């Protein structure tokens, strides 16, 4: 007889192609089968927890998706997305009657990408504009399209087509006197020429004989102003009369004033120099004035300015025509389309400054109605320097989103599948760049490659990690000495092993992602020897688990550091991952149905894994939201939760449990005060036999956990033992707080190892066992010396090590 000790199971289930590769070091820590057992970081096996029934999907016939929302301070929500709606759940159940309409059909839900910032979830995909989902209160939630500012844009027009606006965005008419053609101009010095600051011509208007004063324009009706431009006098280089400090004030009665903008230190003006200023304002006023100080130069006399140009808030403007001289350069020569409504156009005015339009409607292939944002135009001259917006129903919307250096990054439209756009720093909807580029401006980067490799996902790290169908690349600084920004950006390849669309998982500084076909899992980490990130497969020895292509994955960091993935057939792979300890243990899990989605969410004591499981109940297809429960850690035997789709009763002694309509007609286990009873749900109820009662009753579907050892070779004097008949005739199994365990050669010859012993309390289930179970078991020569371990029902099972003896045929 030869004894074999297996003290660790840290590699989990081994690919069948390798079950005779005893020369591999990992062979001693692997299994031929590992189903519904979790391989623990310290090497043992623990029966996985069951699942708790939460609710049935509203769209139970068509399916749905789960997206976590973590508001913080213990407020953790799981969002149930279905056909054009979402609902809100917590581990206690559905939140009120919250149900919000969305633009997403069921078919696009698996392709959505999302990131969160405090109370807002940013979502991309589904062929619609990026959406912002917000929690306004416990029962108040909204989702609406994000409103972007100034971009992003396609390349600058190089065609002969020019664009001519019919409006300027300036609500003040070209004044010819203090009261004509409309409105009223006044100044602190009572000047009859104050109107000239609104005459739209260069010059000099003295507004005060001292260093301070004001000039005001009163509109006939209230207007929302959110920006302005100032021009210095035409002789400011000699006289320095331009004020250095001022405020923009607004009023509706001319006496009570609200400060909208304050500027200081605005010195060293050149003659006729223009400067632009913007502020946030959503209130309409009739009176606006520039109230200034520190004007008049060194002598503080004859304070003067050249011009003031106000900008009416774009959303409050009456749309005006933007006319193209032709269709060349516009949508591939097709001209403007109805799908361009809402699209941005960047336009360089005759003064050399860029503004942007938003298309509000289409009139023809060469004419659209627009509103002007940013600053007003100085004239309506046609210009050939312009850029069309990169995002629209015409060009497509970004399909993925991520964070990078306090910026919100988007990537991959239909027209530009390899382009990345990053917002301004900490201004997530602003994609503008300054007249003189600043490091905080928006960043645009294109993935350079010889093929069109669609961007699949974005992950924030020291660089922005970009997964494409054929490679993984990084976007970061071109030079370390300067801050990251539009003038200091570079993209470089990291590995030529591509990725599929499943969002990768970041564990510490390591990125785990799935290959382009979803049939392998790869680990990407920084390697000091290579001075860069390298990618290697972590699923090579368990490749059989990935044959049906991974459909999604999530990460349960605590307590066991497990990556949960599910394939296109709804089967689940568990991957215990602890890189520093070289723990790469994969297991397969079945939940009595088809798993269609899994998502992780922080819980009160551990990370929770939520799932959507498609089950056949009483002959009908039903989709349930369930939460995987923690494997039994310690405590009272009745507290274990190892049944699936289960509900628990705790209270006064009871015989009958109702409210089980969701399991109608199913064979279930009643785990009552630590003892298993098997029955069937009828009319939504189950009862304990013989009138028995219990205080703690768990009702759910049975889960069988099964592990099978490898055919480890034994010493044979006359050669190799491979292929020769062997049998197991004894086993010693070290267990921890275990209430059920069978061992043997296969399903037919499994012996129960946990049973009553002399001295155990009468009338109670056998207590949980900790220690070494030593038992002779009945096996067959045909079983090849492999040991099968199995646990079912409601009780826990943790295996630490096994030592079994095997006989080899003569």
């Amino acid at each position: 007889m030869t004894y074999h000790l297996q003290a660790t199971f840290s590699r989990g289930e081994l690919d069948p192609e390798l079950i005779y590769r005893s020369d591999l070091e990992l062979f001693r820590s692997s299994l031929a089968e590992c189903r519904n057992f979790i391989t623990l970081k310290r090497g043992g096996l623990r029966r996985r927890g069951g699942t708790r029934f939460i609710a049935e999907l509203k769209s139970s016939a068509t399916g749905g998706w789960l997206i976590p929302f973590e508001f913080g301070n213990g407020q953790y929500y799981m969002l149930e997305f279905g056909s054009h709606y979402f609902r809100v759940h917590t581990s206690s159940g559905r939140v009120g009657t919250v149900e919000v309409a969305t633009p997403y059909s069921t078919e696009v839900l698996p392709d959505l990408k999302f990131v969160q910032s405090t109370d807002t979830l940013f979502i991309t995909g589904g062929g619609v504009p990026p959406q912002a989902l917000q929690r306004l209160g416990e029962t108040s939630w909204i989702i609406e399209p994000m409103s972007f500012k100034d971009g992003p844009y396609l390349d600058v027009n190089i065609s002969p087509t020019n664009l001519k606006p019919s409006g300027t965005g300036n609500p003040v008419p070209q004044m010819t006197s203090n009261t004509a053609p409309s409105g009223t101009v006044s100044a602190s010095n009572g000047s009859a020429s104050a109107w000239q600051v609104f005459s739209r011509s260069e010059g000099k208007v003295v507004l005060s004989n001292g260093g301070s004063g004001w000039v005001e324009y009163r509109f006939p009706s209230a207007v929302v102003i959110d920006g302005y431009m100032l021009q210095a006098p035409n002789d400011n280089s000699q006289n320095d009369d331009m004020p250095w400090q001022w405020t923009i004030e607004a009023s509706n009665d001319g006496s009570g004033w609200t400060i909208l903008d304050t500027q200081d230190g605005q010195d060293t003006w050149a003659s006729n120099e223009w400067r632009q200023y913007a502020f946030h304002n959503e209130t309409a006023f009739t009176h606006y004035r520039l109230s200034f100080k520190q004007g008049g130069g060194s002598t503080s006399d004859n304070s003067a300015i050249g011009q003031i140009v106000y900008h009416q808030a774009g959303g409050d403007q009456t749309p005006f025509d933007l006319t193209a001289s032709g269709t060349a350069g516009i949508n591939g020569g097709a001209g403007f389309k109805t799908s361009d409504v809402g699209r941005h156009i960047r336009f360089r005015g005759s003064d050399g400054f860029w503004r942007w339009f938003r298309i509000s409607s289409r009139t023809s292939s060469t004419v659209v109605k627009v509103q002007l944002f940013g600053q007003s135009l100085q004239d309506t001259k046609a210009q050939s320097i312009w850029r069309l917006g990169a995002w629209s129903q015409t060009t497509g919307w970004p399909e993925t989103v991520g964070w990078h250096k306090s910026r919100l990054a988007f990537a991959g439209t239909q027209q530009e599948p390899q382009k990345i756009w990053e917002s301004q720093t900490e201004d997530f909807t602003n994609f503008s760049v300054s007249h003189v580029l600043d490091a905080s401006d928006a960043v645009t980067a294109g993935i350079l490659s010889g093929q069109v490799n669609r961007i699949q996902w974005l992950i924030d790290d020291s660089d922005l990690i970009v997964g494409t169908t054929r490679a993984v690349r990084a976007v970061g600084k071109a030079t370390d000495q300067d801050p990251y920004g539009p003038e200091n950006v570079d993209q470089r390849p990291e590995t030529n092993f591509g990725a599929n669309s499943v969002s990768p998982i970041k564990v510490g500084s390591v990125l785990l992602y799935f290959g382009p076909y979803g049939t392998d899992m790869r680990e990407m980490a920084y390697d000091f020897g290579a001075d860069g990130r390298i990618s290697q497969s972590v699923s090579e020895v368990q490749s059989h688990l990935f044959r049906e292509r991974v459909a999604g994955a999530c990460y349960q960091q605590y307590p066991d550091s497990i990556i949960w993935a599910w394939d296109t057939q709804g089967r689940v792979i568990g991957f215990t991952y602890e890189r520093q300890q070289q723990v790469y243990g994969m297991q397969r899990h079945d939940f009595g149905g088809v798993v269609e989605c899994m998502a992780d969410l922080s819980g009160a004591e551990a990370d929770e894994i939520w799932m959507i499981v498609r089950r056949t109940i009483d002959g009908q297809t039903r989709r349930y939201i369930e939460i995987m429960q923690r494997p039994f850690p310690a405590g009272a035997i009745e507290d274990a939760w190892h049944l699936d789709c289960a509900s628990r009763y705790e209270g006064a002694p009871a015989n009958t449990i109702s409210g089980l309509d969701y399991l109608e007609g199913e064979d279930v286990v009643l785990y009552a005060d630590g003892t298993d009873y098997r029955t069937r749900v009828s009319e939504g109820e189950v009862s304990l036999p013989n009138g028995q009662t219990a205080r703690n009753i768990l009702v759910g579907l049975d889960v069988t956990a099964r592990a099978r050892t490898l055919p480890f070779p034994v010493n044979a004097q006359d050669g190799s033992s491979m292929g020769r008949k062997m049998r197991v005739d004894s086993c010693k199994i070290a267990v921890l707080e275990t209430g059920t365990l069978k061992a043997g050669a296969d399903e037919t010859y499994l012996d129960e190892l946990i049973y009553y012993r002399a001295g155990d309390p009468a009338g109670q289930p056998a207590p949980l066992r900790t220690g070494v179970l030593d038992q002779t078991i009945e096996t067959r020569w045909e079983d090849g010396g492999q040991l099968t371990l199995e646990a079912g029902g409601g009780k826990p099972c943790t295996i630490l090590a096994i030592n079994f003896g095997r006989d080899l045929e003569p």
Side-chain angles (χ1 to χ4, degrees):
M1 179 182 294
T2 300
Y3 287 91
H4 172 56
L5 172 66
Q6 185 161 355
T8 177
F9 313 93
S10 60
R11 292 306 297 251
E13 184 172 312
L14 195 64
D15 192 302
E17 294 182 5
L18 301 174
I19 62 171
Y20 293 105
R21 288 293 307 276
S22 59
D23 58 312
L24 297 175
E25 183 179 352
L26 58 84
F27 196 87
R28 292 180 176 271
S29 57
S30 300
L31 293 164
E33 181 181 358
C34 186
R35 186 186 302 270
N36 293 323
F37 273 115
I38 291 172
T39 57
L40 301 178
K41 291 184 289 185
R42 296 181 178 88
L45 289 176
R46 178 176 290 155
R47 189 182 179 196
R48 74 158 170 85
T51 68
R52 177 158 60 93
F53 173 79
I54 297 296
E56 183 174 3
L57 288 185
K58 176 190 176 184
S59 302
S60 191
T62 57
W65 204 252
L66 299 175
I67 296 180
F69 188 100
E70 300 197 359
F71 187 62
N73 298 321
Q75 296 173 296
Y76 307 120
Y77 305 91
M78 189 60 73
L79 308 182
E80 169 202 337
F81 276 73
S83 179
H84 299 285
Y85 78 90
F86 78 82
R87 290 176 165 182
V88 182
H89 299 270
T90 69
S91 56
S92 299
R94 186 179 170 192
V95 176
T97 58
V98 175
E99 185 173 317
V100 181
T102 78
Y104 303 118
S105 65
T106 305
E107 292 73 23
V108 305
L109 294 178
D111 298 322
L112 300 182
K113 298 291 191 298
F114 52 88
V115 294
Q116 186 175 346
S117 174
T118 59
D119 62 350
T120 303
L121 194 72
F122 301 107
I123 307 174
T124 58
V128 300
Q131 304 284 307
L133 186 154
Q134 288 185 288
R135 176 193 181 276
L136 305 179
E138 181 71 9
T139 58
S140 179
W141 300 69
I142 62 171
I143 185 172
E144 56 189 7
M146 296 180 67
S147 179
F148 296 101
K149 293 176 281 188
D150 199 7
Y153 299 99
L154 302 177
D155 293 336
V156 175
N157 168 59
I158 58 174
S159 76
T161 301
N162 61 53
L163 302 180
K164 179 177 174 55
S166 64
T168 64
N170 183 356
V172 180
Q174 186 175 352
M175 298 298 290
T176 56
S177 74
N178 280 354
T179 57
S182 64
T184 303
V185 181
S186 57
S188 55
N189 65 352
S191 172
S193 302
W195 59 273
Q196 292 179 357
V197 301
F198 299 104
S199 66
R200 304 189 185 181
S201 60
E202 296 177 357
K204 177 178 182 178
V205 183
V206 177
L207 301 173
S208 171
N209 295 327
S212 61
W214 52 265
V215 59
E216 174 187 328
Y217 181 83
R218 185 179 68 193
F219 288 94
S221 59
V223 174
V224 179
I225 299 295
D226 66 357
Y228 60 101
M229 296 189 296
L230 291 180
Q231 186 182 39
N234 54 14
D235 65 352
N236 200 67
S237 297
Q238 291 79 35
N239 298 317
D240 200 23
D241 291 329
M242 188 70 182
W244 291 9
Q245 183 184 57
W246 65 81
T247 58
I248 296 293
E249 302 170 345
S251 174
N252 277 315
D253 57 13
S255 58
W257 294 91
T258 299
I259 296 176
L260 300 178
D261 186 49
T262 299
Q263 297 293 331
D264 194 4
Q266 297 294 314
D267 55 358
T268 63
W269 287 78
S271 297
N272 295 323
E273 178 185 352
W274 282 101
R275 296 186 187 179
Q276 300 180 348
Y277 306 91
F279 51 84
H280 181 77
N281 176 41
E282 297 179 356
T283 304
F285 296 96
T286 54
H287 299 64
Y288 289 88
R289 75 180 182 187
L290 173 76
S291 181
F292 58 84
K293 297 179 180 179
Q294 296 183 3
S298 59
T299 58
S300 297
D301 62 349
N302 296 325
S303 297
I305 63 174
Q307 293 186 70
I308 303 175
V309 177
Y310 284 122
H311 175 260
Q312 183 178 6
D316 282 18
Q317 294 174 17
T318 299
F320 53 86
D321 285 342
L322 183 68
T323 303
S325 62
T327 60
I330 304 175
N331 294 325
F336 292 116
K337 300 180 178 182
T338 54
S339 54
D340 287 327
V341 172
R343 193 175 184 180
H344 296 180
I345 300 176
R346 200 164 197 237
F347 181 88
R348 197 176 76 168
S350 57
D351 57 2
F353 288 102
W354 290 90
R355 283 84 166 175
W356 62 284
F357 300 107
R358 179 182 290 142
I359 299 175
S360 58
S361 64
R362 173 189 179 270
T363 304
S364 70
S365 61
T366 57
V367 180
V368 288
K369 294 283 188 183
V370 297
Q371 295 168 304
L372 177 65
F373 294 79
Q375 295 290 348
S376 294
L377 291 165
Q378 294 186 19
D379 53 53
T380 57
K381 295 178 181 179
Q383 302 290 335
S384 62
I385 302 178
W386 47 267
R387 305 174 69 179
L388 288 176
W391 304 346
S392 67
Q393 202 63 35
T394 304
T395 56
W397 302 99
E399 297 178 353
T400 189
V401 62
W403 294 114
H404 184 221
K405 297 188 181 297
S406 301
R407 303 168 185 265
L408 191 58
F410 297 88
T413 63
Q414 180 180 345
Q415 183 164 325
E416 296 185 296
Q418 296 184 201
K419 191 64 71 69
I420 300 165
W421 301 272
E422 298 182 35
S423 71
Q424 287 196 353
T425 303
E426 297 183 352
D427 192 353
F428 306 143
T429 60
N430 192 339
F431 287 82
S432 66
V433 293
S434 307
H435 185 67
V436 177
L437 288 178
D438 186 84
S440 65
D441 285 344
V443 173
T444 300
I447 295 300
L448 306 177
S449 65
Q451 298 174 312
V452 177
N453 297 331
R454 178 170 293 277
I455 295 174
Q456 304 278 38
W457 40 258
L458 304 173
I459 294 294
D460 189 22
D461 201 61
S462 56
D463 296 320
L464 180 65
I465 308 301
V466 183
T468 76
T469 51
R470 291 293 180 184
V472 176
R473 304 180 79 90
V475 175
K477 292 181 179 181
T479 61
D480 291 334
Q481 293 78 12
D482 300 316
Y484 180 76
E487 291 189 297
N488 186 31
V489 58
D490 183 34
Q491 65 88 24
R492 58 190 178 276
E494 293 291 335
T495 173
N496 61 355
F497 292 101
N500 71 352
S501 62
V502 174
S503 295
I505 292 166
K506 193 173 181 184
V507 182
S509 60
V510 178
L511 195 68
L512 292 146
Y513 69 96
F514 300 93
Y517 303 104
T519 55
D520 65 323
M521 180 187 288
R522 305 196 67 85
E523 173 191 76
M524 192 169 74
Y526 184 83
D527 182 81
F528 287 97
D531 192 23
R533 298 178 180 90
I534 61 172
S535 176
Q536 62 181 5
S537 173
V538 292
S539 61
E540 189 65 31
V541 297
Q542 292 108 355
S543 59
H544 66 297
L545 299 177
F546 295 84
R547 287 172 184 162
E548 298 298 334
R549 295 182 292 113
V550 170
C554 60
Y555 177 50
Q556 186 180 28
Q557 183 177 22
Y558 185 83
D560 293 312
S561 187
I562 299 177
I563 296 166
W564 297 95
W566 67 99
D567 65 21
T568 55
Q569 302 303 308
R571 294 175 292 200
V572 175
I573 304 163
F575 178 32
T576 306
Y577 180 76
E578 188 68 43
R579 188 170 189 260
Q580 292 182 338
Q581 303 300 323
Q582 295 296 301
V583 176
Y584 301 91
M586 291 192 182
Q587 329 98 35
R588 65 176 74 196
H589 298 270
D590 55 70
F591 292 85
V594 176
V595 175
E596 297 183 334
C597 180
M598 303 179 83
D600 59 279
L601 185 70
S602 297
E605 298 180 352
D607 295 339
E608 297 176 345
I609 297 298
W610 292 56
M611 60 183 67
I612 294 175
V613 185
R614 185 177 81 231
R615 301 184 181 279
T616 301
I617 303 294
D618 202 23
Q620 296 183 346
T621 297
R622 312 283 282 272
R623 286 178 169 88
Y624 294 154
I625 299 175
E626 304 174 28
I627 304 177
M628 193 185 307
Q629 302 299 289
R630 290 187 63 182
F632 184 76
I637 188 173
E638 61 267 22
D639 293 333
W641 194 310
H642 294 283
L643 306 179
D644 281 347
C645 200
S647 296
R648 168 165 276 168
Y649 167 81
E650 293 179 287
N655 169 261
T656 300
I657 305 299
S658 59
L660 300 174
D661 304 80
Y662 73 94
L663 289 176
E664 182 64 33
E666 293 298 303
D667 293 327
V668 296
V669 172
L670 280 75
Y671 183 61
D673 288 345
T675 299
D676 290 336
Y677 302 91
R678 299 181 183 273
T679 186
R680 176 171 292 181
V681 178
S682 177
E683 297 183 356
E685 294 184 346
V686 292
S687 298
L688 291 169
N690 305 319
Q692 297 180 71
T693 61
R695 296 177 179 272
N696 192 324
I697 304 174
L698 183 70
V699 183
L701 304 175
D702 195 11
V703 178
T704 299
R706 178 180 165 87
R708 191 165 183 244
T709 63
L710 289 164
F712 202 92
V714 299
N715 294 325
Q717 295 179 354
D718 55 350
S720 172
S721 63
M722 187 177 72
R724 300 173 72 172
K725 292 183 179 181
M726 286 184 287
R727 68 178 183 132
V728 179
D729 59 8
S730 67
C731 67
K732 297 177 174 60
I733 304 176
V735 298
L736 176 67
E737 302 221 339
T738 294
T740 177
L741 180 61
K742 294 179 180 180
D746 59 23
E747 294 89 336
T748 306
Y749 298 91
L750 296 181
D751 297 305
E752 179 61 64
L753 305 186
I754 307 293
Y755 45 83
Y756 280 101
R757 298 176 183 174
D760 288 341
Q764 298 182 22
L768 300 178
R769 306 296 187 191
T770 296
V772 177
L773 306 176
D774 186 356
Q775 183 150 341
T776 300
I777 58 177
E778 183 179 354
T779 62
R780 303 177 304 177
W781 286 103
E782 292 79 11
D783 294 316
Q786 292 177 265
L787 183 67
T788 298
L789 305 169
E790 191 174 285
K795 299 177 183 180
C797 176
T798 299
I799 302 169
L800 302 181
I802 55 176
N803 186 15
F804 52 100
R806 289 185 292 192
D807 280 338
L808 181 68
E809 69 175 350

